[in-house]
Amino acid sequence: MSENRDPHVTKFVYDFTEGNKDLKDLLGGKGANLAEMTNLGLPVPPGFTITTEACRTYLDSGEEPAALRDEVSAHLDALETTMGKKLGQADDPLLVSVRSGAKFSMPGMMDTVLNIGLSDKSVQGLARQAGDERFAWDSYRRLIQMFGKTVLGVDGELFEDALEAAKAAKKVTVDTELEAADLEKLVTKFKKIVRTEAGRDFPQDPREQMDLAVKAVFDSWNGDRAKLYRRQERIPHDLGTAVNVCSMVFGNLGPDSGTGVAFTRDPASGQQGVYGDYLQNAQGEDVVAGIRNTVPLAELESIDKKSYDQLMQIMETLENHYKDLCDIEFTIERGQLWMLQTRVGKRTAGAAFRIATQLVDQGLIDEAEALTRVNGAQLAQLMFPRFDDEYARGGEGVEQVGRGIAASPGAAVGKAVFDSYTAVKWSRSGEKVILIRRETNPDDLDGMIAAEGILTSRGGKTSHAAVVARGMGKTCVCGAEELEVDTKRRRMTVPGGHVVEEGDVVSIDGSSGKVYLGEVPVVPSPVVEYFEGRMHPGADDADELVEAVHRMMAFADRKRRLRVRANADNAEDALRARRFGAQGIGLCRTEHMFLGDRRELVERLILADTEVEREESLKALLPLQKRDFVELFEAMDGLPVTIRLLDPPLHEFLPDITELSVRVALAESRQEPHENELRLLQAVHRLHEQNPMLGLRGVRLGLVIPGLFTMQVRAIAEAAAERRAAKCDPRAEIMIPLVGTVQELEIVREEADRVIAEVERTTGTRLKLAIGTMIELPRAALTAGQIAEAAEFFSFGTNDLTQTVWGFSRDDVEASFFTAYLEKGIFGVSPFETIDKDGVGSLVAAAAKAGRATRPDLKLGVCGEHGGDPESVHFFHEAGLDYVSCSPFRIPVARLEAGRAAVTSLGSDHR
Ligand code: PEP
Ligand code: MG
């Protein structure tokens, strides 16, 4: 609902009867919901809200708006009339609370002052009215303490120390044991602290107390803690906070009073029922302070049946009204129930899915609304096996020894191994292993496949280990710098000096980055069993959660416009991706097909001195590549398969320069020079680059190594022809990486077209192969209109595009200065994880538009890591792309988020 207000009159104060829940921008979350409850006829202590607009004016100009004082006076008058007493009235004071309340909840970040209106005089009146002197003096000392600290800036510890001293003098341990006289003395002491520290007396005028408290709440918007919190949570700095002035009710007036919290459903399971806690004879802050143990809410029924029944009825009203789980704070003052707060409550990931479908079944919400009640991060959380929390916190024989970057979620336990060879050998004999390296490289692939999880002491979220592990859905912790990994001696030293030897059991948590010594028990995910087709919704053993996930996925699939493809390089991944709902392959990285026993052929290609030698090695590679593609087309029959021609710098296929130099030097010293190794070393030197990511890679390889790309294109075309001959439906798309200008693409394209035409001629098959390019360099994005002339599709390579737009090395920065950037709030999340909308994102959107201007039917996708990131998926939806492509395990998340993107707009309130 829009916030329609008369533009000529700025109204800065709203009575609770005047607002509603849709005015959160203006009244903040708390104020809007208090108003909503008031209008529902629920028992809310009367009060009013000063708007965020008043706060913004104050923060901008340093002065409160001129009209504010009179408006507050008018609302205070009305409140006093309603309550039948005046603020701070000596014989029967009206007391109020002054609470902050921004649009988005910022727990504990801003200020609150309770019991405003108490003074040396009115404390006596309160004591008489309440018939409880202790209560009155306790309320007064709380006011001076809170006011002193938050409004007058007195160090809170001074009050705490004085309170401790009073308890010590009386030889008691809890403040409830202090009597009226003790508290009266404490009030004198507190006032003295205020005078000394603030250089002024604690104000006795209740209106002055209120005005100063309001100003302090405004100021707290710009406190250091609040600013940092906003940067991290990406809450805009210019929203300001509203201030709620609410008549006080007391839960600490005896056994017929109390305070509690309640949920309309179990926030852990989603189950409907009576959930919450109650504390008799106490105020809200006593619950937080844990002075006494609360009792389960159900016990309120026997303590105060009338209030309990009323509360149950209110909870039902709230759920039906908000159409969601609500959490509630309430107080009972001498048998009278008061609602102090409500809001749509937080819940666990599992509960979110269950509640959303329950509400659909109850007819309270529709499918589209249900999709806004869950998110991809929650689904991801449900998909990974977890460590048993209780145990990880300190099970027998388990010790946390380090923490790295949570690179690929999940929980893995196994024996420590320090090289791929051992990982493969041990896993073949049935051992579960964790591969521990300083960092990984393509040579480690076998070991990574064999391992349960991967742990590295270097590298960030886009390091080789992280990207490959995520691709495999394998747990990975990387950049755990406090661990000293010594691969030569096959050991790792943890802080404190303990040495982990090969074979010792370690556990790693890819969701938190924690590393443990010993075995932490793992809880498997029923949701993955479901996606894998091993558990069926509706089956006897399927739980409610699986049922709920199944239904939510169906909702998402019905609503989404974006298609979802997989980044997959082999048939096994492709088949899994299909089970998980992939609608094709968006990126097959062919370099992964050049490893293992093919490496030798690639080496021969790189070392070839003559055309004949080169052609021979290409000829040997051709049938192998063709077989790879046939398998992929088979797995993805009827769906598009985008195959990227070779991309990485060639040195990645050659031995490490240092190791090779040592080998050659040793052989020479033994006077047994090895001809091939010498040639290899020369090639390694020749191909060595200072900045390989900006060097000879991508389309540049195709342009300088004759025959390489044409061999790959031929393999694709022949594989497609073979599948056609078998009456199947291969849908290959050939993708050229790292193009910076249309000329590069035109040259490669011309050759590719020639090869395809030749295969079509010789096989007598019409192949209809699409040729397109990756957009992963700023120049490509800036000249997208030209590039589209030679491309039938664009796939945005947002990993490289982020790297080149920011000038951040994707292999280095996350482990070096990103932590500092995150701490300083320069970004809330790495731009390699979530698309940087303003920079990289705007380039993507502009390139998409320019490309389509040239070629209206240009197909647009994204295949960088961002393709599986929830927030980024929303961005790509808005930018009008056709599909996102991500690793198989992230496909369900991308499907769900694509559905959510279709039913919510960017920047919605669903935080
Ligand atoms: C990219 O750069 O976004 C991409 C998908 O390619 P790669 O990660 O293989 O460089
Ligand atoms: Mg790339």
Side-chain angles (χ1 to χ4, degrees), residues 658-679 681:
T658 319
E659 276 175 28
L660 188 61
S661 305
V662 172
R663 274 213 309 268
V664 168
L666 284 174
E668 274 176 353
S669 71
R670 288 196 304 270
Q671 309 220 312
E672 298 165 351
H674 192 294
E675 175 66 20
N676 199 44
E677 296 227 315
L678 257 176
R679 282 179 70 201
L681 185 59

Side-chain angles (χ1 to χ4, degrees), residues 587 589 644 647 697 774 776 797-800 810 863-864:
L587 173 64
R589 292 179 164 104
R644 178 176 76 184
D647 179 48
R697 55 171 289 218
M774 293 191 74
E776 49 185 346
T798 45
N799 301 334
D800 272 310
R810 60 195 265 198
C863 62

Side-chain angles (χ1 to χ4, degrees), residues 328-389:
I328 292 160
E329 287 177 22
F330 66 92
T331 279
I332 298 174
E333 184 184 286
R334 293 193 168 151
Q336 160 74 47
L337 175 69
W338 293 101
M339 305 302 292
L340 299 189
Q341 177 168 316
T342 192
R343 64 185 168 194
V344 166
K346 299 230 184 304
R347 64 209 69 187
T348 62
F353 278 81
R354 279 189 290 243
I355 292 173
T357 51
Q358 284 163 9
L359 292 171
V360 171
D361 292 341
Q362 284 177 250
L364 286 172
I365 60 174
D366 61 11
E367 292 184 8
E369 181 61 27
L371 284 171
T372 68
R373 305 292 180 84
V374 296
N375 62 49
Q378 290 166 333
L379 180 59
Q381 218 177 319
L382 295 174
M383 284 181 67
F384 288 102
R386 286 176 291 111
F387 280 136
D388 186 327
D389 290 345

Side-chain angles (χ1 to χ4, degrees), residues 103-104 837 874 878 904-911:
K103 177 178 180 187
F104 301 113
K837 296 189 195 95
H874 285 246
E878 297 280 324
T904 57
S905 58
L906 267 182
S908 74
D909 292 356
H910 294 281
R911 278 167 181 272

